[in-house]
Amino acid sequence: MNLRRTLIVGNWKLHGTLAGNQTLLLQLRANLRGLDAVDFAVCVPYVYLFQAQQLLSGSNLLWGSQNVSQYDVGAYTSCISAAMIAEFGCQFVILAHSERRMLRLESHEVTAQRFLRALEGGLTPIYCVGEAQAERDAGLAEEVVKRQVLNMLHSLDDDAFARAKQLNMVVAYEPVWAIGTGQHASPQEAQAMHAFIRELIAARDPLFAKRIRIIYGGSITADNAQEMLSMPDIDGALVGRSALVAETFTQICRIANDLSLKSHQP
Ligand code: PGA
């Protein structure tokens, strides 16, 4: 039996307007009603968290932020703390997205601190890993992802790890070359990397490794969701561009829900 409930997360990135969000969120809320076999969420820009809370409370569409500060409080202009985010009813926080790492806005040390703050705030981290094209071409994909996963695992002492398990932390495998390019990893490539990530986690905690959701991100569309989500170690998707249109995001969510229902049939 699959211990892992599929998770589909929309990552809005730097997109949105109050009026456009209202339409999108209300459509999604209506479209996803009754799809109960899968978890759904949208990670919106900070300024729209209040709107997400207003429009999504009581629905089966959860919400989250796209980052969190490593600080709790103080003279840190423009920072947003985990406690602030939690006040808006957020469940998830995306951490270490490659668009942050590539802009050199975050080191491993900073990400590790943000991870801890997220846990303290009761937020479920979605920790992103993934290699760049040049790294894959050089045969270094596994090595790069291993370093990223181990950096995260090593930064969590036993208490923090226990908290991460309790909050059901998520890993997102997002090959950098697949993000926003229309060129997704093949199901086999992604499956191999997801299984590898699970092994790395199993070295620390074999039981949790069976339970942790490892989701795929990078050019997921309604056309490729079925084949990607059918792989045994792909437990969901982190969806960028296709999450910005109600119709396509709904289609991906429906596919995930149908697959889950099928996999639970006797
Ligand atoms: P994409 O983005 O679906 O537009 O490739 C995914 C992501 O960066 O999370």
Side-chain angles (χ1 to χ4, degrees), residues 11 13 97 99 174 178-180 218-220 238-241:
N11 175 11
K13 308 189 181 187
H97 193 283
E99 284 156 14
E174 297 207 308
I179 295 177
S219 297
I220 282 284
L238 185 53
V239 185
R241 190 178 308 198

Side-chain angles (χ1 to χ4, degrees), residues 28 221-222 239 241-253:
L28 289 176
T221 63
V239 185
R241 190 178 308 198
S242 301
L244 298 174
V245 179
E247 191 49 41
T248 51
F249 193 62
T250 302
Q251 273 178 282
I252 294 168
C253 292

Side-chain angles (χ1 to χ4, degrees), residues 129 142-150 153-154 161 193-206 209 214:
V129 299
E142 284 200 346
E143 200 175 312
V144 169
V145 169
K146 179 177 179 181
R147 187 169 4 98
Q148 293 165 342
V149 172
L150 293 185
L153 287 174
H154 292 159
F161 190 63
M193 191 62 90
H194 283 229
F196 176 66
I197 294 169
R198 204 176 297 287
E199 269 172 40
L200 294 171
I201 295 166
R204 170 102 182 233
D205 188 327
I214 304 174

Side-chain angles (χ1 to χ4, degrees), residues 132-185:
Q133 182 72 63
E135 293 164 335
R136 177 159 281 264
D137 293 345
L140 297 172
E142 284 200 346
E143 200 175 312
V144 169
V145 169
K146 179 177 179 181
R147 187 169 4 98
Q148 293 165 342
V149 172
L150 293 185
N151 272 333
M152 178 269 295
L153 287 174
H154 292 159
S155 68
L156 301 174
D157 64 16
D158 286 349
D159 283 350
F161 190 63
R163 183 91 178 118
K165 290 197 293 184
Q166 194 184 27
L167 287 164
N168 281 321
M169 68 159 282
V170 175
V171 171
Y173 171 54
E174 297 207 308
V176 177
W177 46 272
I179 295 177
T181 58
Q183 183 204 348
H184 67 100

Side-chain angles (χ1 to χ4, degrees), residues 194-230:
H194 283 229
F196 176 66
I197 294 169
R198 204 176 297 287
E199 269 172 40
L200 294 171
I201 295 166
R204 170 102 182 233
D205 188 327
L207 282 181
F208 183 55
K210 289 196 171 74
R211 194 159 65 73
I212 187 173
R213 293 184 286 195
I214 304 174
I215 64 177
Y216 169 85
S219 297
I220 282 284
T221 63
D223 292 333
N224 60 35
Q226 174 94 21
E227 55 172 0
M228 298 301 280
L229 295 172
S230 298

